[in-house]
Amino acid sequence: MPDLIRHDGVHDDEWTLVSAPEEGQELALPEGPALLPATVWKENRDRYAGRNDIGIWFDSHEEPEAFADVLDDLPVIAVNFPKFTDGRGYSIGRLLRERYGYKGELRAVGDVLLDQLFYMKRCGFDAYALRPDKDISQAEHCLNFFSNTYQAAVDDKEPLFRRRAAETS
Amino acid sequence: MYVYDEYDRQILNERVAQFRHQTDRALAGELAEDEFLPLRLQNGLYVQRLAPMLRIAIPYGMLRANQLRRLARISRDYDKGYAHFTTRQNVQFNWPAVADVPDILAELAEVEMHANQTSGNCIRNTTTDQFAGVQTEELTDPRPYCELIRQWSTYHPEFAFLPRKFKIAVNASEGTDRAAVQVHDIGLELVNNEAGEFGFRVYVGGGLGRTPVVGPVIREFLPELDLLTYLEAILRVYNRYGRRDNKFKARIKILVKAMTPDVFAEKVEAEWAHIKDSPTRLTREAVDNVKRFFTEPDYQSLDDNPDGLQTQRAESKAFDSWVKRNVSKHKKPGYCIATLTLKKTGVPPGDVSDRQLEQLADLTEQYSFGELRVTHQQNVVLADVRQDQLFELWQTMRPMGFATANLGTLTDIICCPGGDYCALANAKSIPVAEAIQTRFDDMDYVYDLGDIDLNISGCMNACGHHHVGNIGVLGVDKKGQEFYQISLGGSSQRDASLGKILGPSFAREDMPQVIEKIIDVFVDNRTEEETFLDTYRRIGIDPFKERVYA
């Protein structure tokens, strides 16, 4: 089982990320919990909704807006970072958490490197499938580079200017 | 000027530690070059043609004496003893070693300086008018808003990996624009609406480079406290929908153009509707808290035009010329704004030595409350000089090379480092600037020509802002040979416009002569009160073409 970082440490990852089926092919569900391509899940919503062993994954160009009303049915959502420099996943994370109130596990998958973990955490991710060639023992350090931040995000709703004002008043 | 508190210090020190960790891993081979690249760029570190280059931010252009001295020390200890002021209120070192950069950043942090986000596909240093807070006509001081944007944009978790770089500029004067806001990704103009409320006019999608665009207004009035939420909405739309498949089409100007400004504005409004009342909305206290760092220094009660000054001007033609060209009106009686051009012939525009940085520090302490500003024209400004000390200042700094009386003239050339230093450049730019300065060495003639912006870029990335030069020069590469293309009629002012290409490009040795011909056409056609740009706009490009290509 590959490793998965959560904020409480490193875990075995029980979930299988399922690729989109080829044209004309049926989706083959693996043994155990599975993350399905978001569009596939939606097309078969009646079959999968409410199952606590089925989640979805988004690619960076896909829009979480289309899933706004079904998020309660999903125990895990993964967002793919096809390349670590593709920053769309950060906005997707914030939208899922802040706008659509998603409460389940939000995973970063794909080209996930150590130096992006802190930003991902701030944008609402709470699980990370670090690229396997990276040193997982450094993840905790990298998740916590900063003890304070200027702007509001998912992990801290109060921007620093509000916290400063609260301290002086 | 803004002073760090414990939060700012801690955040910056943690950033330095983070970059040290990243550099160590890069040098140990744990980070691949392409993985280290965006991290080092976001810490100001380029790898250039001859050596790395480190770009340091100067938020809203302000430097204190101790910061100038620290820059001098760094340039001596880690570089070759000089630094370069850029066209974006940054300063660059051209020869640091990669392994030294964490130490340099630590030294900068000690004086509340940094290289945060001075490069890379993130929100860059916010720039503004170098006369902010001291000039007569601004609506209010733009710097507190620049500082609020600095804090909001620093390590913004959502916007560290944008499709491309992102630049914000702020202007607060109705009559002038020294920040070139219409050629920025976001330009903000401080305005009052009809109800007398205070806020911002928002331009989006301007820019130079490969596809120059004068940015359209997407919102005529944004209430003051909505500044950061609205910026967040713009950036979110750009982050999600900006093109990522083609580097040359990734800037926000391409997205705005493709969507049309109206549709882009609608997208932003729709996004903003969700977040406008979020905790990111500014509070009165937050704005006031930052404003108190930009209060007036301890001005004396003085009168304008002291007798001594009149006498000194009458007795020294050189001093009088300098006052006429380089000194501007100050909002306080008895004070003035002195611009020190770094455009002495033979010195690359914007370059200063370590010794000069220390001399500048001394000058600020002696004559301007220990503070200095840098300009996007690559000059520096002493913003609070007593008129009765102006002559003494001028005498003191003449031997230092700061008293060149050419501000705003043909020889006050904006010029990128070009092929001498920059890996991107197609052609050298510094020798072209020098050749033109040498050709136009008769200052009386140069003064007679009046205000002319001559801007030189060594490649189409346009660091020398050639598109908005009244005369723009662009270095181009033709089969390995350096040539120079000329454009006329650009402006970065309120009447922002992009220059029009004159025609086929020229060899370097022909450049002074070509500029001379262009100037001759102006002199032959101008009316008494016209500037070069006025004449060009009246007569068009054809008379220039005819003379130059005759």
Side-chain angles (χ1 to χ4, degrees):
Chain A
M1 285 286 158
D3 291 333
L4 185 77
I5 302 155
R6 293 198 180 98
H7 292 161
D8 62 353
V10 178
H11 296 260
D12 285 344
D13 185 4
E14 309 289 334
W15 293 70
T16 306
L17 195 83
V18 181
S19 306
E22 297 283 322
E23 183 103 4
Q25 298 283 307
E26 271 290 298
L27 183 91
L29 263 193
E31 290 277 314
L35 294 166
L36 308 187
T39 46
V40 172
W41 185 93
K42 207 168 182 198
E43 283 161 17
N44 302 282
R45 186 179 162 184
D46 295 345
R47 203 184 317 166
Y48 301 131
R51 279 181 63 170
N52 63 6
D53 60 344
I54 303 261
I56 63 169
W57 66 273
F58 285 112
D59 217 340
S60 60
H61 64 276
E62 292 181 308
E63 306 201 346
E65 281 86 342
F67 289 79
D69 57 342
V70 301
L71 295 175
D72 290 345
D73 292 341
L74 295 162
V76 176
I77 297 178
V79 176
N80 184 39
F81 288 78
K83 183 84 187 92
F84 73 97
T85 49
D86 183 341
R88 290 176 287 192
Y90 299 101
S91 289
I92 294 174
R94 286 193 78 179
L95 289 171
L96 285 171
R97 292 292 196 203
E98 292 176 334
R99 185 157 311 161
Y100 304 119
Y102 178 62
K103 298 283 193 303
E105 181 172 284
L106 187 59
R107 296 180 170 204
V109 301
D111 201 20
V112 178
L113 307 182
L114 287 165
D115 297 287
Q116 283 68 40
L117 294 177
F118 178 75
Y119 289 148
M120 288 169 175
K121 181 175 88 167
R122 296 217 65 211
C123 288
F125 291 89
D126 55 4
Y128 316 86
L130 191 68
R131 212 175 70 190
D133 60 320
K134 294 296 169 189
D135 181 1
I136 205 162
S137 71
Q138 302 214 32
E140 194 187 344
H141 177 59
C142 293
L143 270 170
N144 298 294
F145 270 132
F146 293 93
S147 45
N148 262 296
T149 55
Y150 283 112
Q151 57 297 98
V154 178
D155 63 335
D156 196 339
K157 305 267 183 266
E158 295 280 289
L160 183 55
F161 66 76
R162 285 183 189 257
R163 284 181 277 140
R164 277 176 172 144
E167 281 169 20
T168 52
S169 65
Chain B
M1 129 176 214
Y2 186 72
V3 177
Y4 282 14
D5 67 6
E6 276 309 311
Y7 287 109
D8 296 294
R9 266 192 288 277
Q10 185 183 25
I11 291 169
L12 185 51
N13 287 335
E14 286 167 351
R15 172 69 157 195
V16 174
Q18 181 193 39
F19 189 63
R20 197 178 290 283
H21 183 245
Q22 291 164 342
T23 305
D24 288 348
R25 282 185 289 138
L27 294 174
E30 293 168 34
L31 265 177
E33 174 50 30
D34 73 314
E35 294 165 4
F36 185 46
L37 178 106
L39 306 175
R40 66 170 164 76
L41 290 179
Q42 295 199 13
N43 283 279
L45 180 59
Y46 276 79
V47 174
Q48 285 278 31
R49 174 168 289 179
L50 301 171
M53 182 271 277
L54 183 67
R55 180 183 292 151
I56 294 155
I58 306 174
Y60 31 90
M62 294 203 67
L63 285 169
R64 283 188 288 259
N66 68 325
Q67 295 176 322
L68 286 159
R69 293 200 177 95
R70 182 57 57 93
L71 291 174
R73 192 174 97 185
I74 290 171
S75 82
R76 249 191 322 266
D77 292 353
Y78 299 95
D79 208 278
K80 293 190 173 181
Y82 65 91
H84 174 77
F85 288 112
T86 78
T87 50
R88 274 198 48 78
Q89 298 186 323
N90 292 306
V91 61
Q92 293 177 180
F93 291 121
N94 279 307
W95 309 91
V98 173
D100 286 340
V101 171
D103 289 340
I104 299 175
L105 295 182
E107 293 221 12
L108 289 170
E110 285 175 4
V111 293
E112 302 181 0
M113 290 189 77
H114 57 77
N116 289 331
Q117 297 175 197
T118 52
S119 183
N121 297 332
C122 52
I123 305 169
R124 305 282 186 91
N125 186 35
T126 299
T127 56
T128 193
D129 186 343
Q130 67 270 18
F131 292 175
V134 292
Q135 56 155 323
T136 50
E137 62 164 7
E138 75 191 1
L139 202 57
T140 187
D141 189 339
R143 293 170 299 174
Y145 301 96
C146 296
E147 173 58 26
L148 287 162
I149 296 169
R150 178 193 76 82
Q151 296 187 17
W152 165 78
S153 61
T154 296
Y155 324 138
H156 197 298
E158 190 180 341
F159 306 131
F161 295 94
L162 295 170
R164 279 289 270 137
K165 58 186 170 181
F166 203 91
K167 301 174 179 180
I168 303 174
V170 187
N171 179 47
S173 308
E174 280 182 57
T176 57
D177 178 2
R178 277 174 287 261
V181 299
Q182 293 179 67
V183 287
H184 277 77
D185 294 297
I186 295 179
L188 296 168
E189 205 157 68
L190 280 65
V191 289
N192 279 324
N193 68 3
E194 282 169 9
E197 294 155 335
F198 176 67
F200 304 88
R201 179 179 294 128
V202 184
Y203 298 86
V204 172
L208 301 177
R210 191 176 289 257
T211 314
V213 182
V214 173
V217 174
I218 65 157
R219 199 172 219 279
E220 278 294 340
F221 184 78
L222 177 73
E224 177 189 11
L225 298 181
D226 293 322
L227 174 65
L228 298 184
T229 52
Y230 197 77
L231 291 180
E232 194 142 306
I234 295 172
L235 265 297
R236 183 170 286 167
V237 171
Y238 173 54
N239 190 37
R240 297 187 65 199
Y241 302 109
R243 285 184 64 167
R244 289 175 182 271
D245 58 326
N246 181 340
K247 187 185 169 190
F248 301 120
K249 295 184 173 168
R251 295 288 294 267
I252 195 172
K253 60 192 169 189
I254 306 292
L255 178 66
V256 173
K257 220 172 182 173
M259 280 185 172
T260 75
D262 287 345
V263 172
F264 180 82
E266 281 170 26
K267 276 257 183 206
V268 171
E269 293 289 325
E271 181 60 41
W272 186 50
H274 290 286
I275 58 176
K276 68 191 294 253
D277 296 317
S278 71
T280 296
R281 185 165 198 268
L282 283 169
T283 59
R284 187 80 264 142
E285 298 75 44
V287 175
D288 290 345
N289 181 40
V290 172
K291 278 190 171 177
R292 82 192 154 78
F293 291 102
F294 297 92
T295 48
E296 288 182 355
D298 191 13
Y299 292 123
Q300 306 293 300
S301 177
L302 301 168
D303 289 325
D304 271 331
N305 297 312
D307 293 342
L309 180 62
Q310 299 312 317
T311 317
Q312 289 149 354
R313 289 182 70 167
E315 285 172 359
S316 166
K317 188 178 168 232
F319 175 61
D320 185 56
S321 298
W322 180 76
V323 173
K324 269 191 201 143
R325 266 334 299 188
N326 290 45
V327 175
S328 311
K329 191 170 163 47
H330 195 284
K331 67 178 183 184
K332 283 282 166 197
Y335 286 85
C336 60
I337 306 168
T339 300
L340 284 48
T341 61
L342 306 176
K343 306 293 176 68
K344 203 177 158 169
T345 301
V347 179
D351 271 15
V352 280
S353 68
D354 58 333
R355 182 77 196 104
Q356 283 182 311
L357 285 164
E358 284 162 347
Q359 288 169 331
L360 286 172
D362 295 343
L363 291 175
T364 64
E365 283 175 339
Q366 243 173 309
Y367 299 104
S368 199
F369 299 100
E371 285 177 359
L372 173 130
R373 292 108 181 273
V374 302
T375 83
H376 84 267
Q377 290 94 351
Q378 302 171 291
N379 294 319
V380 300
V381 171
L382 297 181
D384 297 296
V385 179
R386 284 173 61 147
Q387 292 172 12
D388 58 9
Q389 294 183 343
L390 204 49
F391 186 67
E392 190 186 307
L393 164 67
W394 178 76
Q395 281 183 311
T396 308
M397 70 184 188
R398 261 184 115 182
M400 301 170 180
F402 297 132
T404 310
N406 62 347
L407 184 68
T409 68
L410 184 64
T411 61
D412 179 16
I413 297 171
I414 292 180
C415 179
C416 75
D420 290 298
Y421 299 101
C422 179
L424 302 172
N426 291 319
K428 293 187 178 182
S429 43
I430 293 168
V432 178
E434 185 177 347
I436 295 168
Q437 286 170 331
T438 304
R439 176 66 65 109
F440 291 91
D441 62 346
D442 175 356
M443 286 312 287
D444 286 332
Y445 182 62
V446 168
Y447 295 145
D448 177 60
L449 298 174
D451 290 345
I452 302 180
D453 294 336
L454 173 60
N455 299 356
I456 306 176
S457 300
C459 76
M460 66 175 91
N461 290 304
C463 292
H465 298 180
H466 64 278
H467 298 293
V468 290
N470 303 159
I471 301 172
V473 177
L474 167 66
V476 290
D477 176 86
K478 280 192 197 173
K479 296 177 186 156
Q481 296 272 66
E482 295 181 5
F483 282 86
Y484 298 87
Q485 185 183 71
I486 291 185
S487 56
L488 297 180
S491 166
S492 65
Q493 283 295 315
R494 308 277 323 176
D495 58 352
S497 59
L498 303 169
K500 201 169 160 187
I501 294 168
L502 186 67
S505 52
F506 304 95
R508 191 194 302 163
E509 58 270 24
D510 296 334
M511 284 303 291
Q513 198 192 339
V514 170
I515 300 295
E516 198 162 36
K517 285 180 182 170
I518 289 168
I519 294 299
D520 287 345
V521 174
F522 162 56
V523 171
D524 292 350
N525 286 277
R526 67 176 165 182
T527 64
E528 197 138 324
E529 290 299 308
E530 275 183 342
T531 63
F532 178 86
L533 189 61
D534 296 333
T535 303
Y536 169 83
R537 285 180 173 166
R538 181 170 54 78
I539 68 176
I541 202 164
D542 290 339
F544 293 94
K545 237 180 218 173
E546 282 161 23
R547 181 85 59 100
V548 168
Y549 294 103

